[in-house]
Amino acid sequence: MGSISWGCCVVLLYVALFLKPFPILVKALPGSYWSANTSTSVTNSFPTPDSVKFDDGSFVSIILSSESNGYSYEHTCHCGFFCNQTCDGSLFAIVRIPLKGGDISKSEGSTVVWAANPTNPVSVNASLKLTSERGLVLTDANGTTVWSTNTSSKSVAGLNLTDNCNLMLLDHNNATIIWQSFDHPTDTLMLKQKLMAGQQLISKGGLYSLALTSEGLSAYINSNPPQRYFSGYHNFDYAGDTVKANSSYVQLNSENLTLFSQGLILVLTSPSDFSLEYMRFEPDGHLRAYGEANYAYDFLTRRIRDCDYPTVCGNYGICTNNAQCSCPPPIKGTSYFRQTNDKLPNNGCSLITPLSCEDSKYHVLSELENITYFPITYYPPKINPNHQHINLETCKQACLKDSSCKAVFYNSNNHMRNCYLQSQIFSLMPTDAGQKNYLRVYIKVQKKKSSDGAELGVGGFGTVFEGTLVDDTKVAVKRFDGLSQIKKSFLAEVETIGSIHHFNLVRLIGFCAEKSHGLLLVYEYMSNGSLDKWIFHRNPDMLLDWQHRKKIIIDIAKGLTYLHDDCRHKIVHLDIKPQNILLDENFNAKVSDFGLSKLVDREQSQVVTTMRGTPGYMAPEWLSSVITEKVDVYSFGVVLLEILCGRRNFDRSQPEEAMHLLAIFKKKIEEDQLLDLVDKYNEDMSLHGEEVVNMMRVAAWCLQNDFTKRPSMSIVVKVLEGVVNVESNLDDFFLNPPLPNTRAGVHNQ
Ligand SMILES: *[C@@H]1O[C@H](CO)[C@@H](O)[C@H](O)[C@H]1NC(C)=O
Ligand SMILES: *[C@@H]1O[C@H](CO)[C@@H](O)[C@H](O)[C@H]1NC(C)=O
Ligand SMILES: *[C@@H]1O[C@H](CO)[C@@H](O)[C@H](O)[C@H]1NC(C)=O
Ligand SMILES: *[C@@H]1O[C@H](CO)[C@@H](O)[C@H](O)[C@H]1NC(C)=O
Ligand SMILES: *[C@@H]1O[C@H](CO)[C@@H](O)[C@H](O)[C@H]1NC(C)=O
Ligand SMILES: *[C@@H]1O[C@H](CO)[C@@H](O)[C@H](O)[C@H]1NC(C)=O
Ligand SMILES: *[C@@H]1O[C@H](CO)[C@@H](O)[C@H](O)[C@H]1NC(C)=O
Ligand SMILES: *[C@@H]1O[C@H](CO)[C@@H](O)[C@H](O)[C@H]1NC(C)=O
Ligand SMILES: *[C@@H]1O[C@H](CO)[C@@H](O)[C@H](O)[C@H]1NC(C)=O
Ligand SMILES: *[C@@H]1O[C@H](CO)[C@@H](O)[C@H](O)[C@H]1NC(C)=O
Ligand SMILES: *[C@@H]1O[C@H](CO)[C@@H](O)[C@H](O)[C@H]1NC(C)=O
């Protein structure tokens, strides 16, 4: 190198760099030094043919390369403008390129080890300038200074890139390092590079940080406040040596990561013979060292478990052994969570009904039992003094009042009673069986709004609006709540529903899936509304006579028969109730909301293990066995009885012994007094008492406890049309106590 005169060579170097193909160039021209005497600046341009292309499509336009003595190095370091794939923005970065037979054009294993502006990419025509007064200055195309080395106090002679990827600003004698990239690490530590106390590595994307603090090497997730999940002193091994030096730092060596601190040398040793070359703090919070022959060693995972990483199962995900991820189970029968991505359980879970500020009165804190949040017990974060030593109720209230609070972690230990309000929930884990666990985990969830006295639960599918199409056709638009993302599988399902046509099914005219609105389903408009408006009232102007009621009953039965038997895809409705029976202008009855339960099932990780439907209409087998289309037959039986009796299945306005329709129905059957139950506010019904009572026997058949004894819907249609007789042996008759009623079942907080 001694014979080359550097003062004029630099300019030549540039020309050469961008003209000659790279592999040859690196061998022929050492270019590790850039003199500050030349006033040249380098401009960021789109990738040229000479740029080095990475496996993933990224490019680097090289400004300076570490000096390589022919083939003797196993890798080379280069600095320049790096742009990732689309080249929307560039970083001034150092890349490390392994040499494969001296050829850097095979860039496999290449990696960015440092960047000046990791969070502020610059555009095309940005420039990098080296001056003796200011050192390196990176200026965006519009003239904004994005980054500089801030070396104004010292005169810079030149810039040198070492073969260990350290970029340094040197003085005139090459004696003093005025600035070096090793003092400003990003996410990577090179061999022999020191991470000093007070410095930190920040993972790409900024989620995690690793710093040397008074408590050793500590890893944090940058939540608000940051939450520690690894701490060096507890996990490093004592090397048996002491140091005299006072400074604290960690350093990567070829066999270990060594921590010098408080007079001690502590060490994490790599078990392999392969030499380590660099170490990166990665976007998943792992600290991995990489070495020759693609060797990788995870320093932290040898000390903490997979489930100890905060984002191992994404938000709200529960991590069990070997990083198996799942969503929180239903809480008291209601599912609140679904997988964010069906195929990727580690992506975490989200709320089926997202929390919305307008609906804050429906927010409740639901306990996840036997679940813990690892870091809080090991590494308690800073606590708001007002949240210390308070009772659980005060803690929960504080969270409910604070819209940024998404969960509460409460340390119920009597000496603590600490309340941690969380604005973000990372991965959770089950408590160790048999261990005393003081931590209580409460997640903020949003209950569905109630409608018409009945809680809809998961089975209730959103809000209905009236709409008009461009051709003036009136339509009903149903917004399918709780879908933040529309997936292809849903759309296929919606298309299936749309392809089902029957006179007694409300027709789906179209749908629209949009990020901002979720899923909108457009249905034919039914001018006379839902059946409940017609049968549960005492308004003499809106009385339905016996002929109309009979017709409505047969219509419902035909609609259900079609769903169960006639279409290509058997569909179990799961939520038959008067609110889901709609009437058109001629009082033709049509079943609505079919197929939607299927969409909900797709949404959830537990298929039909979740109770579904509306209390009061749900078949007894929901409590125990297999769910078949016979659950709809049961619900149909309840609706049938309500139509015949002109009252709700559960009616608080009745005397206590008569509140439950099924209970008095059973009693009246035994007493052979069914006529007492016929809707007495409707003269026409009383007039046809005999026929009405006959139809009550169909209801009794549908309400059999044993689902195998219930008729199919097609049989029901035949009975109603007088073709088949009612089964006479109806002894196993809904003996179960009535299912939990609405209030008891849902208001569980
Ligand atoms: C750079 O310029 C200074 C004077 O400005 C001179 O003393 C020095 O020798 C020059 N360095 C090189 C490497 O040309
Ligand atoms: C500059 O870097 C090269 C390797 O690229 C190295 O050989 C040389 O010693 C470095 N110069 C100084 C002054 O550090
Ligand atoms: C480029 O960006 C993609 C996607 O953001 C990322 O996966 C990849 O690691 C990046 N490449 C480099 C070399 O940083
Ligand atoms: C970059 O600068 C060149 C020369 O001034 C100009 O022709 C070109 O349009 C600029 N590119 C962008 C993207 O601004
Ligand atoms: C320059 O562009 C960046 C984005 O590339 C922008 O943030 C900044 O405000 C711009 N500065 C000026 C002075 O226009
Ligand atoms: C340079 O110094 C200025 C003022 O002293 C400071 O605001 C800026 O953040 C520094 N830039 C860097 C890259 O350190
Ligand atoms: C400083 O080091 C570089 C490369 O290592 C060399 O080219 C340059 O001549 C040196 N400058 C002086 C003044 O020694
Ligand atoms: C090391 O630091 C301690 C406290 O910071 C100080 O008391 C001691 O004098 C220092 N020792 C040396 C050798 O610098
Ligand atoms: C760490 O590794 C280096 C070699 O890379 C070795 O010299 C040193 O003794 C090791 N330190 C400990 C404490 O094992
Ligand atoms: C939680 O654990 C306790 C004790 O092991 C057990 O009784 C209880 O049923 C569990 N709760 C849930 C929801 O699994
Ligand atoms: C039922 O529908 C018909 C036809 O649209 C309409 O005239 C009538 O007012 C409706 N009845 C009620 C009570 O809404």
Side-chain angles (χ1 to χ4, degrees), residues 410-442:
Y410 183 75
N411 186 332
S412 61
N413 183 323
N414 245 339
H415 302 297
M416 303 282 208
R417 293 187 294 123
N418 282 345
C419 167
Y420 301 97
L421 305 190
Q422 303 287 309
S423 57
Q424 201 178 354
I425 301 94
F426 302 107
S427 306
L428 302 156
M429 63 173 90
T431 51
D432 290 334
Q435 252 187 25
K436 184 82 189 130
N437 177 42
Y438 289 107
L439 193 72
R440 300 266 168 277
V441 174
Y442 295 87

Side-chain angles (χ1 to χ4, degrees), residues 319-343:
C319 179
T320 46
N321 303 332
N322 308 322
Q324 293 288 311
C325 299
S326 60
C327 290
I331 302 169
K332 302 199 171 141
T334 306
S335 287
Y336 290 105
F337 300 93
R338 62 182 171 85
Q339 241 169 259
T340 306
N341 183 325
D342 285 346
K343 299 203 177 67

Side-chain angles (χ1 to χ4, degrees), residues 206-219:
L207 188 55
Y208 287 101
S209 61
L210 183 81
L212 186 54
T213 67
S214 58
E215 301 177 71
L217 187 68
S218 299

Side-chain angles (χ1 to χ4, degrees), residues 36 77 172 237 315 378 414 629 729 743:
C77 297
H172 283 282
D237 307 318
N315 290 351
Y378 292 138
N414 245 339
E629 74 272 24
N729 178 20
R743 268 137 254 283

Side-chain angles (χ1 to χ4, degrees), residues 461-482:
F461 308 103
T463 327
V464 185
F465 307 89
E466 195 179 289
T468 313
L469 297 183
V470 275
D471 64 1
D472 280 332
T473 321
K474 265 190 165 178
V475 292
V477 179
K478 177 158 279 196
R479 192 173 70 205
F480 203 99
D481 291 332

Side-chain angles (χ1 to χ4, degrees), residues 122-415:
V122 291
S123 56
V124 166
N125 284 353
S127 67
L128 182 76
K129 198 167 187 171
L130 177 66
T131 63
S132 60
E133 297 79 29
R134 295 186 66 193
L136 277 175
V137 180
L138 179 63
T139 309
D140 210 343
N142 65 10
T144 313
T145 300
V146 172
W147 171 84
S148 83
T149 52
N150 268 3
T151 45
S152 52
S153 57
K154 303 207 180 81
S155 177
V156 172
L159 181 70
N160 198 44
L161 180 61
T162 72
D163 53 23
N164 197 24
C165 298
N166 189 11
L167 188 67
M168 29 170 93
L169 290 178
L170 299 166
D171 73 354
H172 283 282
N173 303 319
N174 283 342
T176 312
I177 297 169
I178 297 172
W179 178 95
Q180 59 181 337
S181 60
F182 269 24
D183 290 340
H184 304 270
T186 49
D187 63 350
T188 306
L189 217 54
M190 303 302 298
L191 195 66
K192 299 289 176 198
Q193 184 178 352
K194 291 173 181 172
L195 181 73
M196 308 298 294
Q199 295 179 343
Q200 57 181 356
L201 299 182
I202 296 180
S203 68
K204 198 165 143 197
L207 188 55
Y208 287 101
S209 61
L210 183 81
L212 186 54
T213 67
S214 58
E215 301 177 71
L217 187 68
S218 299
Y220 298 86
I221 183 156
N222 292 330
S223 47
N224 179 21
Q227 175 66 61
R228 186 151 36 127
Y229 63 97
F230 173 90
S231 185
Y233 282 152
H234 306 151
N235 294 292
F236 276 66
D237 307 318
Y238 177 48
D241 291 324
T242 53
V243 263
K244 292 185 190 75
N246 234 354
S247 65
S248 293
Y249 61 90
V250 284
Q251 177 177 304
L252 180 70
N253 297 311
S254 59
E255 301 159 12
N256 55 46
L257 183 67
T258 310
L259 168 64
F260 297 86
S261 185
Q262 300 183 1
L264 297 177
I265 303 179
L266 303 172
V267 70
L268 299 176
T269 307
S270 154
S272 158
D273 287 341
F274 290 118
S275 288
L276 303 176
E277 292 172 348
Y278 64 95
M279 174 180 91
R280 172 168 297 138
F281 191 48
E282 310 214 307
D284 58 1
H286 288 244
L287 182 63
R288 295 192 183 88
Y290 295 91
E292 48 186 21
N294 296 327
Y295 174 67
Y297 178 66
D298 190 325
F299 276 120
L300 307 189
T301 295
R302 306 298 150 127
R303 278 91 196 165
I304 62 177
R305 297 167 300 177
D306 285 335
C307 290
D308 288 333
Y309 289 93
T311 51
V312 58
C313 283
N315 290 351
Y316 295 113
I318 296 177
C319 179
T320 46
N321 303 332
N322 308 322
Q324 293 288 311
C325 299
S326 60
C327 290
I331 302 169
K332 302 199 171 141
T334 306
S335 287
Y336 290 105
F337 300 93
R338 62 182 171 85
Q339 241 169 259
T340 306
N341 183 325
D342 285 346
K343 299 203 177 67
L344 298 172
N346 316 19
N347 277 18
C349 311
S350 45
L351 288 164
I352 292 171
T353 308
L355 299 173
S356 81
C357 288
E358 306 91 74
D359 293 324
S360 60
K361 58 178 174 295
Y362 298 106
H363 292 177
V364 293
L365 285 162
S366 280
E367 180 167 16
L368 293 181
E369 283 182 43
N370 303 335
I371 293 293
T372 188
Y373 196 59
F374 62 91
I376 288 194
T377 19
Y378 292 138
Y379 309 117
K382 273 211 186 103
I383 185 163
N384 176 339
N386 297 335
H387 293 166
Q388 264 173 314
H389 315 307
I390 62 174
N391 66 34
L392 176 59
E393 217 31 59
T394 313
C395 173
K396 285 163 95 175
Q397 284 310 319
C399 179
L400 288 171
K401 279 191 212 118
D402 176 353
S403 64
S404 70
C405 177
K406 300 291 185 299
V408 155
F409 297 128
Y410 183 75
N411 186 332
S412 61
N413 183 323
N414 245 339
H415 302 297

Side-chain angles (χ1 to χ4, degrees), residues 54 56 58 82 84-85 110-112 204:
F54 283 48
D56 65 358
S58 307
F82 171 84
N84 196 339
Q85 295 165 334
S110 302
T111 178
V112 173
K204 198 165 143 197

